[in-house]
Amino acid sequence: MKISIITVVYNGAATVRDAIESVLAQDYANVEYIIIDGNSRDATIEISKSYGGRISRFVSESDAGIYDAMNKGIGLATGEVIGLLNADDMYASGDVLSEVMSKFEADSADAVYGDLLYVDGLDPKVVRRNWRAGAYWAGRFLSGWMPPHPTFFIRRKWYERHGGFRLDMGTAADYELMLRMAHKYEAKLSYVQNVLVHMRTGGASNQSFKNRLLANMSDRKAWKVNELRPYLWTTAMKPLRKIMQFIK
């Protein structure tokens, strides 16, 4: 079964090589790797092209933002399963995709996700936060839960049936998509109890947490556009859950 991995990048020369090499180092054989570049002005294009045919598809053109670029990649993907790896993220080990695909097959899952480590933007060996997602059950989004989006893999047919990322959601677009797929349309989620992705932080941990609190203002809209009714405390609980990432 083929898996398509999509990396979206714009002026990411400082980190994109780590992302690319973490994909190319995977021991799973049937990988289609797509890079969507937003017409970068630094060395991103040169770095990406240096891998030649090891990159299945490389596109460099202007876009309407990160989620528009992700939708482009999804439209080009031919794998049965699609995953998204940001240009400043890395897979935690060489067997991540093997573990994910085994989970799809063993559980007949529609989507698979796992845990994530936030690492220092300058020194990825330093762990800043630990996001242990935990198992999913129906209705868990109502408690403010969500899986880490960089660890979220879903069968391509779900994008074909229910659409890609909405461009009117700002930074809540990934939350809205997972809410739509899992909570509204009841995709069968399966949890890999392991760290799948290392994600670089943009600065100090408390600053990153404040940014996530600001992004939370868009979360209620995600429920509204899907004609779903959250509890009064649902969106308030979402940032509060992140406190545990700092103390684990």
Side-chain angles (χ1 to χ4, degrees):
M1 184 163 59
K2 184 194 292 186
I3 182 169
S4 296
I5 303 300
I6 300 162
T7 292
V8 167
V9 59
Y10 178 69
N11 290 343
T15 61
V16 71
R17 191 181 297 277
D18 288 343
I20 292 172
E21 293 190 357
S22 79
V23 175
L24 299 182
Q26 294 299 302
D27 62 9
Y28 189 78
N30 201 358
V31 179
E32 175 184 58
Y33 189 28
I34 299 169
I35 297 180
I36 306 295
D37 172 71
N39 200 18
S40 291
R41 299 178 181 230
D42 63 1
T44 296
I45 296 174
E46 179 183 354
I47 291 170
S48 300
K49 287 186 174 181
S50 72
Y51 291 91
R54 300 178 73 189
I55 308 298
S56 306
R57 189 79 179 265
F58 177 76
V59 176
S60 183
E61 60 186 22
S62 298
D63 54 53
I66 185 172
Y67 295 108
D68 179 44
M70 287 180 179
N71 285 339
K72 287 182 183 181
I74 292 166
L76 293 172
T78 62
E80 186 174 340
V81 171
I82 295 177
L84 295 151
L85 185 73
N86 294 329
D88 49 2
D89 298 346
M90 301 155 285
Y91 287 127
S93 62
D95 61 353
V96 166
L97 298 187
S98 293
E99 192 169 8
V100 166
M101 296 304 278
S102 293
K103 200 70 171 172
F104 270 102
E105 294 181 355
D107 295 352
S108 298
D110 298 314
V112 171
Y113 66 95
D115 297 333
L116 178 146
L117 290 181
Y118 287 91
V119 298
D120 187 82
L122 298 177
D123 184 358
K125 294 180 181 179
V126 177
V127 176
R128 294 297 186 187
R129 293 160 57 187
N130 183 356
W131 189 344
R132 295 183 182 176
Y136 174 74
W137 56 83
R140 197 174 184 195
F141 273 87
L142 288 164
S143 67
W145 180 89
M146 66 177 286
H149 183 247
T151 76
F152 186 77
F153 301 80
I154 191 166
R155 293 184 188 268
R156 178 165 50 91
K157 64 184 180 183
W158 280 77
Y159 287 115
E160 294 170 347
R161 291 174 183 172
H162 304 300
F165 292 93
R166 291 182 61 119
L167 305 187
D168 61 347
M169 293 301 304
T171 57
D174 52 359
Y175 174 64
E176 186 280 326
L177 183 132
M178 293 186 293
L179 176 71
R180 184 185 348 135
M181 299 297 190
H183 185 77
K184 182 176 182 177
Y185 292 115
E186 300 180 342
K188 181 181 179 182
L189 270 57
S190 187
Y191 171 49
V192 175
Q193 194 173 346
N194 202 1
V195 174
L196 302 183
V197 173
H198 292 172
M199 181 177 185
R200 284 184 172 89
T201 61
S205 295
N206 61 347
Q207 180 180 352
S208 178
F209 184 59
K210 283 175 65 177
N211 289 341
R212 297 304 297 167
L213 283 173
L214 292 173
N216 181 256
M217 295 175 62
S218 298
D219 292 343
R220 186 167 291 275
K221 181 180 177 181
W223 289 81
K224 184 176 181 180
V225 298
N226 283 292
E227 299 180 338
L228 298 169
R229 182 172 297 179
Y231 295 142
L232 290 175
W233 59 84
T234 296
T235 54
M237 283 296 296
K238 186 168 172 281
L240 290 176
R241 280 180 167 275
K242 297 185 185 299
I243 293 173
M244 297 301 295
Q245 299 172 13
F246 291 90
I247 62 178
K248 284 184 179 181

